[in-house]
Amino acid sequence: MDILLEGILNLEVKHLIMFIIGGILIYLAIDKEYEPSLLLPIGFGAIISNIPLSSAVGDGGFLTILYKAGIATELFPVLIFIGVGAMIDFKPLIASPFMLFFGAAAQFGIFATMLFAISTGKFSLPEAASIGIIGAADGPTSIYVAKVFAPNYLGPISVAAYSYMSLVPIIQPPVIKLLTTSKERKIRMKYTTVHVPKKVEILFPIAITLIAGIIAPMSVSLIGALMFGNLIRVCGVLERLSISAQNELSNLVTILLGITIGGTMSADAFLNVNTLMILAMGLVAFIFDTAGGVLFAKFLNLFLKNKVNPMIGAAGISAFPMSGRVVQTMAAKEDPTNFILMQAMSANVAGQLGSVVAGSMILALVPMFM
């Protein structure tokens, strides 16, 4: 009888709180459709990992096994990037390479939040870097960096990264409106269709891998996986593998990644002041990234004859394609005949590259200052 009561006898308030947190994540996934493919597995993983004496965690627990096999080895984030690469169409960016600057500018929040986290005295330099990377709006990169620098905060960092990614339509518009005028939001941008030869499409992922890898060798795992997925897409002879990478591979790894992250959210590790600070600073990083992109665009307009719509800068974050759609929606509200979707998507794709490079730079530079 005592064996049957073990779970109840060991149940504490902290476990109940984690059940509620897991339930909230599941509610947001199902009812609000906020990143459901990840928040639902994370929420359920948090519940089953916090059941007292749960067989899902610890020696022989399947969540622990998945963590060791997929997170500790960095396998899951890399596989996710192969799928993401297979989904992305880089042609708009290739046609408008100027948009790469917006992908770089929108990473400002990463470094600003990193410095702020250090100034609190609560976090070490590696932990602060892991918190700052939330601002990249790139879940796999956040997980990758957190696993290396702050494995004890992997749960809250992952939850923050994916939660704020899903909240792009809510977070970005107020920031954009605060920093721009109605006149600026109505700026039209001429888009000229540029034919991108097939050879260029094929050479692009190879060239990006070589350039980024030589400049920042730490980026090879992520940028290499991303570009490999894209090469499968554009080569024209691996359509079946491209479809598999976009669907079966991405779906399977997403499920395993989500529930494994949920398994790291034990009450002892999650319920503390530092977790709340991480969630708050992650939001700040996201806001700063959006603001950095918009302000950079406004700065460029001081020198450009053909002005850019400052909202394009906000699309430089890595939340693809949500941020690009948000920018187009806002432009259409100001002027229903203004279409800047292609430019927004170009900046959005550039942001995907920018976030990977930024994460790799952090992985390479932080150890030098320790």
Side-chain angles (χ1 to χ4, degrees), residues 100 103-104 107 110 136 223 316 318 349-359:
L100 281 169
Q107 310 307 317
I110 296 175
I223 201 75
S318 182
V349 170
Q352 183 75 66
L353 293 177
S355 67
V356 176
V357 173

PDB file of all heavy atoms in Angstrom, residues 100 103-104 107 110 136 223 316 318 349-359:
ATOM      1  N   LEU A 100      20.862  42.034 -46.127  1.00  0.00           N
ATOM      2  CA  LEU A 100      21.720  41.393 -45.126  1.00  0.00           C
ATOM      3  C   LEU A 100      22.035  42.346 -43.977  1.00  0.00           C
ATOM      4  O   LEU A 100      22.210  41.917 -42.827  1.00  0.00           O
ATOM      5  CB  LEU A 100      23.021  40.913 -45.779  1.00  0.00           C
ATOM      6  CG  LEU A 100      22.945  39.605 -46.584  1.00  0.00           C
ATOM      7  CD1 LEU A 100      24.222  39.405 -47.374  1.00  0.00           C
ATOM      8  CD2 LEU A 100      22.685  38.432 -45.649  1.00  0.00           C
ATOM      9  N   GLY A 103      19.430  42.100 -41.350  1.00  0.00           N
ATOM     10  CA  GLY A 103      19.578  40.881 -40.569  1.00  0.00           C
ATOM     11  C   GLY A 103      20.648  41.012 -39.503  1.00  0.00           C
ATOM     12  O   GLY A 103      20.553  40.408 -38.431  1.00  0.00           O
ATOM     13  N   ALA A 104      21.663  41.822 -39.791  1.00  0.00           N
ATOM     14  CA  ALA A 104      22.731  42.053 -38.818  1.00  0.00           C
ATOM     15  C   ALA A 104      22.293  43.057 -37.755  1.00  0.00           C
ATOM     16  O   ALA A 104      22.525  42.853 -36.548  1.00  0.00           O
ATOM     17  CB  ALA A 104      23.985  42.552 -39.526  1.00  0.00           C
ATOM     18  N   GLN A 107      20.200  42.141 -34.570  1.00  0.00           N
ATOM     19  CA  GLN A 107      20.782  41.305 -33.516  1.00  0.00           C
ATOM     20  C   GLN A 107      21.272  42.160 -32.337  1.00  0.00           C
ATOM     21  O   GLN A 107      21.881  41.646 -31.394  1.00  0.00           O
ATOM     22  CB  GLN A 107      21.948  40.474 -34.066  1.00  0.00           C
ATOM     23  CG  GLN A 107      21.645  39.711 -35.344  1.00  0.00           C
ATOM     24  CD  GLN A 107      20.413  38.829 -35.252  1.00  0.00           C
ATOM     25  OE1 GLN A 107      20.195  38.145 -34.257  1.00  0.00           O
ATOM     26  NE2 GLN A 107      19.592  38.839 -36.303  1.00  0.00           N
ATOM     27  N   ILE A 110      20.581  41.163 -28.634  1.00  0.00           N
ATOM     28  CA  ILE A 110      21.328  40.048 -28.044  1.00  0.00           C
ATOM     29  C   ILE A 110      22.427  40.583 -27.141  1.00  0.00           C
ATOM     30  O   ILE A 110      22.562  40.189 -25.975  1.00  0.00           O
ATOM     31  CB  ILE A 110      21.938  39.158 -29.149  1.00  0.00           C
ATOM     32  CG1 ILE A 110      20.840  38.499 -29.980  1.00  0.00           C
ATOM     33  CG2 ILE A 110      22.867  38.113 -28.547  1.00  0.00           C
ATOM     34  CD1 ILE A 110      21.374  37.715 -31.167  1.00  0.00           C
ATOM     35  N   ALA A 136      17.461  36.642 -30.434  1.00  0.00           N
ATOM     36  CA  ALA A 136      17.612  36.273 -31.839  1.00  0.00           C
ATOM     37  C   ALA A 136      16.312  35.752 -32.422  1.00  0.00           C
ATOM     38  O   ALA A 136      16.182  35.637 -33.636  1.00  0.00           O
ATOM     39  CB  ALA A 136      18.703  35.211 -31.987  1.00  0.00           C
ATOM     40  N   ILE A 223      25.230  26.696 -39.165  1.00  0.00           N
ATOM     41  CA  ILE A 223      25.086  27.251 -40.517  1.00  0.00           C
ATOM     42  C   ILE A 223      25.242  26.150 -41.551  1.00  0.00           C
ATOM     43  O   ILE A 223      24.577  26.151 -42.596  1.00  0.00           O
ATOM     44  CB  ILE A 223      26.125  28.379 -40.757  1.00  0.00           C
ATOM     45  CG1 ILE A 223      25.666  29.288 -41.903  1.00  0.00           C
ATOM     46  CG2 ILE A 223      27.500  27.836 -41.062  1.00  0.00           C
ATOM     47  CD1 ILE A 223      24.560  30.222 -41.567  1.00  0.00           C
ATOM     48  N   GLY A 316      14.099  41.973 -39.569  1.00  0.00           N
ATOM     49  CA  GLY A 316      15.434  41.397 -39.563  1.00  0.00           C
ATOM     50  C   GLY A 316      15.669  40.377 -38.471  1.00  0.00           C
ATOM     51  O   GLY A 316      16.753  39.793 -38.406  1.00  0.00           O
ATOM     52  N   SER A 318      14.863  36.693 -36.527  1.00  0.00           N
ATOM     53  CA  SER A 318      14.868  35.363 -37.143  1.00  0.00           C
ATOM     54  C   SER A 318      13.507  34.669 -37.148  1.00  0.00           C
ATOM     55  O   SER A 318      13.410  33.542 -37.613  1.00  0.00           O
ATOM     56  CB  SER A 318      15.885  34.473 -36.417  1.00  0.00           C
ATOM     57  OG  SER A 318      15.950  33.206 -36.997  1.00  0.00           O
ATOM     58  N   VAL A 349      14.695  36.508 -43.892  1.00  0.00           N
ATOM     59  CA  VAL A 349      15.624  35.427 -44.207  1.00  0.00           C
ATOM     60  C   VAL A 349      17.043  35.819 -43.788  1.00  0.00           C
ATOM     61  O   VAL A 349      17.805  34.998 -43.255  1.00  0.00           O
ATOM     62  CB  VAL A 349      15.581  35.096 -45.712  1.00  0.00           C
ATOM     63  CG1 VAL A 349      16.712  34.153 -46.095  1.00  0.00           C
ATOM     64  CG2 VAL A 349      14.241  34.464 -46.067  1.00  0.00           C
ATOM     65  N   ALA A 350      17.393  37.090 -43.996  1.00  0.00           N
ATOM     66  CA  ALA A 350      18.705  37.571 -43.564  1.00  0.00           C
ATOM     67  C   ALA A 350      18.840  37.459 -42.048  1.00  0.00           C
ATOM     68  O   ALA A 350      19.917  37.168 -41.526  1.00  0.00           O
ATOM     69  CB  ALA A 350      18.895  39.024 -44.004  1.00  0.00           C
ATOM     70  N   GLY A 351      17.726  37.680 -41.352  1.00  0.00           N
ATOM     71  CA  GLY A 351      17.734  37.541 -39.902  1.00  0.00           C
ATOM     72  C   GLY A 351      18.010  36.118 -39.457  1.00  0.00           C
ATOM     73  O   GLY A 351      18.648  35.879 -38.420  1.00  0.00           O
ATOM     74  N   GLN A 352      17.527  35.148 -40.234  1.00  0.00           N
ATOM     75  CA  GLN A 352      17.797  33.742 -39.928  1.00  0.00           C
ATOM     76  C   GLN A 352      19.301  33.474 -39.977  1.00  0.00           C
ATOM     77  O   GLN A 352      19.867  32.840 -39.081  1.00  0.00           O
ATOM     78  CB  GLN A 352      17.084  32.848 -40.931  1.00  0.00           C
ATOM     79  CG  GLN A 352      17.241  31.354 -40.674  1.00  0.00           C
ATOM     80  CD  GLN A 352      16.392  30.865 -39.519  1.00  0.00           C
ATOM     81  OE1 GLN A 352      15.175  30.885 -39.579  1.00  0.00           O
ATOM     82  NE2 GLN A 352      17.042  30.422 -38.457  1.00  0.00           N
ATOM     83  N   LEU A 353      19.950  33.994 -41.012  1.00  0.00           N
ATOM     84  CA  LEU A 353      21.400  33.850 -41.107  1.00  0.00           C
ATOM     85  C   LEU A 353      22.100  34.637 -40.007  1.00  0.00           C
ATOM     86  O   LEU A 353      23.058  34.154 -39.392  1.00  0.00           O
ATOM     87  CB  LEU A 353      21.888  34.340 -42.477  1.00  0.00           C
ATOM     88  CG  LEU A 353      21.460  33.535 -43.705  1.00  0.00           C
ATOM     89  CD1 LEU A 353      21.956  34.201 -44.978  1.00  0.00           C
ATOM     90  CD2 LEU A 353      21.996  32.114 -43.621  1.00  0.00           C
ATOM     91  N   GLY A 354      21.607  35.853 -39.765  1.00  0.00           N
ATOM     92  CA  GLY A 354      22.234  36.714 -38.755  1.00  0.00           C
ATOM     93  C   GLY A 354      22.203  36.103 -37.371  1.00  0.00           C
ATOM     94  O   GLY A 354      23.175  36.199 -36.612  1.00  0.00           O
ATOM     95  N   SER A 355      21.087  35.457 -37.014  1.00  0.00           N
ATOM     96  CA  SER A 355      20.977  34.867 -35.681  1.00  0.00           C
ATOM     97  C   SER A 355      21.951  33.710 -35.496  1.00  0.00           C
ATOM     98  O   SER A 355      22.543  33.544 -34.427  1.00  0.00           O
ATOM     99  CB  SER A 355      19.539  34.381 -35.437  1.00  0.00           C
ATOM    100  OG  SER A 355      19.223  33.289 -36.280  1.00  0.00           O
ATOM    101  N   VAL A 356      22.141  32.911 -36.552  1.00  0.00           N
ATOM    102  CA  VAL A 356      23.076  31.787 -36.464  1.00  0.00           C
ATOM    103  C   VAL A 356      24.500  32.300 -36.314  1.00  0.00           C
ATOM    104  O   VAL A 356      25.276  31.794 -35.489  1.00  0.00           O
ATOM    105  CB  VAL A 356      22.958  30.886 -37.716  1.00  0.00           C
ATOM    106  CG1 VAL A 356      23.999  29.776 -37.667  1.00  0.00           C
ATOM    107  CG2 VAL A 356      21.560  30.287 -37.801  1.00  0.00           C
ATOM    108  N   VAL A 357      24.850  33.313 -37.107  1.00  0.00           N
ATOM    109  CA  VAL A 357      26.193  33.877 -37.028  1.00  0.00           C
ATOM    110  C   VAL A 357      26.420  34.537 -35.671  1.00  0.00           C
ATOM    111  O   VAL A 357      27.482  34.386 -35.056  1.00  0.00           O
ATOM    112  CB  VAL A 357      26.425  34.893 -38.168  1.00  0.00           C
ATOM    113  CG1 VAL A 357      27.760  35.599 -37.988  1.00  0.00           C
ATOM    114  CG2 VAL A 357      26.378  34.190 -39.514  1.00  0.00           C
ATOM    115  N   ALA A 358      25.394  35.258 -35.177  1.00  0.00           N
ATOM    116  CA  ALA A 358      25.514  35.905 -33.864  1.00  0.00           C
ATOM    117  C   ALA A 358      25.712  34.870 -32.760  1.00  0.00           C
ATOM    118  O   ALA A 358      26.552  35.043 -31.871  1.00  0.00           O
ATOM    119  CB  ALA A 358      24.269  36.751 -33.583  1.00  0.00           C
ATOM    120  N   GLY A 359      24.930  33.786 -32.816  1.00  0.00           N
ATOM    121  CA  GLY A 359      25.089  32.727 -31.832  1.00  0.00           C
ATOM    122  C   GLY A 359      26.464  32.097 -31.891  1.00  0.00           C
ATOM    123  O   GLY A 359      27.082  31.803 -30.852  1.00  0.00           O
TER     124      GLY A 359
END
